[in-house]
Amino acid sequence: MPGSQAAALTTQEGQKRDSIAEIIAASMVGTAIEFYDNYCYSIAAAFFFPKVFFANISDPFLATLLSFTTFAVSFLARPFGSLLFGHFGDKMGRKKTLVVALMTMGISTFVVGVLPGYDTLGAAAVVLLCICRACQGLGLAGEWSGAALVATENAPANKRALYGSFPNLGAPIGFFCAYGINLLLESNLSNDTMLAWGWRVPFLLSAILVVVGLVVRERMSETPVFQKAVKEDRVVKAPLVELVKYWKQVVLGTCAMGITYTLFYVLGTWSLSYGEKTLGYSHAEFLGMQMISIFFFAAFIVVGCLQADKRGRKAVLLFTTAVTAVFSFFSPALLGTAETTSVVGVLTFLCVGFVLMGGLFGPCGAYLPELFPANVRYSGAGLAYNLASILGGAFAPTIATYLVTEFGIMALGWYLGGMSVLALVALFLIKESKDMDYEK
């Protein structure tokens, strides 16, 4: 029966299963909001927060570095969020937990949009910004893993990676919306207006997305895999205690995923700051180039997942990570310096980088959850994913800024290359999981 003809289907065991359209909407909407929030923050952290929240710092480089540090606060909060939401997601179900995670994330983002700056509150403004960012991290931590389970626990066995691409496609959607709105605002408002209040608009608009997300999430059903686990009395009272048995999977998943986050925030956050402040591009020019490259990101999420279903997760990830390692050592030259940069070089850096990013990020929607059994899957996949965000992403803009300032642009290649090698080692130790019994 086609998904368009029924709101929900029923499995052979009698569990309710949502239509494909509902699965796509429920799994994709939250991650789209997640990445929209993150990119709105990354843009603001690169261009506006140094002057809004660090107005007392006279050195522009130090102000930017401190601004990027507040960006990292969300990542530091994420492991705690993954433990919190993972506990309830494995104990009470995926649906209820995802609704609360979305509300936590949405409220925090909206509050950032109304926070007074340093000129009004002094140091207290920075403290409040960090609190909001930490609350964002808590909500974000519970979002991705739950969305990945909504997709993959509703998927046919031979299409689990493809279904796992649904939440991950929320990333380019969120990226495109965040950068598109900022580009639209900057094309119509002066720099002074953007600094005065224009930067707040994208954060306030997130409330609309959250309302849509809540409506979609309230309509969805619990996943068939969790329904079956409840029916067979396999739900554990203390998922986090049970998760201790799978600490190796958490460590390997974290290390394998680290380069994905590093690449993500070097391409999306650090390069934006570098492009304007060092290479001399206007904010709008560099945003435009990033918006072109994001289409490659979206396309190769799907390509990577199709190949992961066909050839296996491990083969696809090993190949893509190895190519990323090679890319790392010549890609900085594509950006160049203020004297040698070219639009073609920058576009090549961004587009090839996002091709690799899509190939790495797409299959993680299946391979991270597949490392764990159903009764600790929310906790395990979420913890690995969010620890990877600290390892690879939390300080990526800060580290990249420092390395390039101190040692030159080619130092960026050593950073990306080192993270790629770490991921390769972890992937060699991870077992192929394409044909596992996902219902156990």
Side-chain angles (χ1 to χ4, degrees), residues 264-339:
F264 200 60
Y265 287 106
V266 164
L267 292 167
T269 302
W270 171 82
S271 69
L272 185 58
S273 176
Y274 182 78
E276 180 181 4
K277 296 178 181 179
T278 302
L279 300 183
Y281 294 98
S282 71
H283 196 176
E285 286 172 340
F286 209 90
L287 280 175
M289 288 189 283
Q290 286 187 317
M291 289 183 69
I292 292 171
S293 65
I294 206 67
F295 288 101
F296 291 85
F297 181 27
F300 277 83
I301 285 176
V302 177
V303 170
C305 289
L306 289 171
Q307 291 301 310
D309 275 330
K310 181 179 180 180
R311 304 178 188 279
R313 289 65 161 128
K314 187 169 181 175
V316 171
L317 289 167
L318 281 172
F319 174 78
T320 309
T321 305
V323 175
T324 302
V326 174
F327 172 75
S328 299
F329 292 106
F330 74 81
S331 60
L334 294 170
L335 287 175
T337 62
E339 294 76 25

Side-chain angles (χ1 to χ4, degrees), residues 84-217:
L84 175 66
F85 286 104
H87 169 80
F88 290 106
D90 283 325
K91 185 176 180 179
M92 299 175 60
R94 311 343 185 177
K95 175 180 176 177
K96 295 177 182 177
T97 308
L98 276 172
V99 169
V100 177
L102 185 61
M103 290 181 63
T104 304
M105 187 169 61
I107 292 171
S108 304
T109 300
F110 185 85
V111 172
V112 170
V114 299
L115 273 182
Y118 185 89
D119 290 341
T120 303
L121 294 180
V126 179
V127 174
L128 291 173
L129 179 66
C130 289
I131 291 173
C132 288
R133 187 64 178 151
C135 291
Q136 269 188 324
L138 291 175
L140 292 172
E143 172 56 45
W144 179 86
S145 50
L149 300 196
V150 166
T152 56
E153 290 187 349
N154 277 289
N158 64 340
K159 294 182 179 179
R160 203 157 49 234
L162 178 61
Y163 274 56
S165 73
F166 299 158
N168 291 347
L169 282 169
I173 292 172
F175 186 112
F176 194 83
C177 290
Y179 278 60
I181 289 172
N182 275 276
L183 183 59
L184 182 64
L185 288 169
E186 292 194 26
S187 299
N188 291 279
L189 300 176
S190 67
N191 289 335
D192 289 341
T193 304
M194 284 296 298
L195 189 61
W197 57 265
W199 68 267
R200 300 179 183 275
V201 175
F203 292 93
L204 301 179
L205 288 177
S206 69
I208 299 173
L209 299 175
V210 172
V211 171
V212 172
L214 288 173
V215 171
V216 171
R217 290 276 170 85

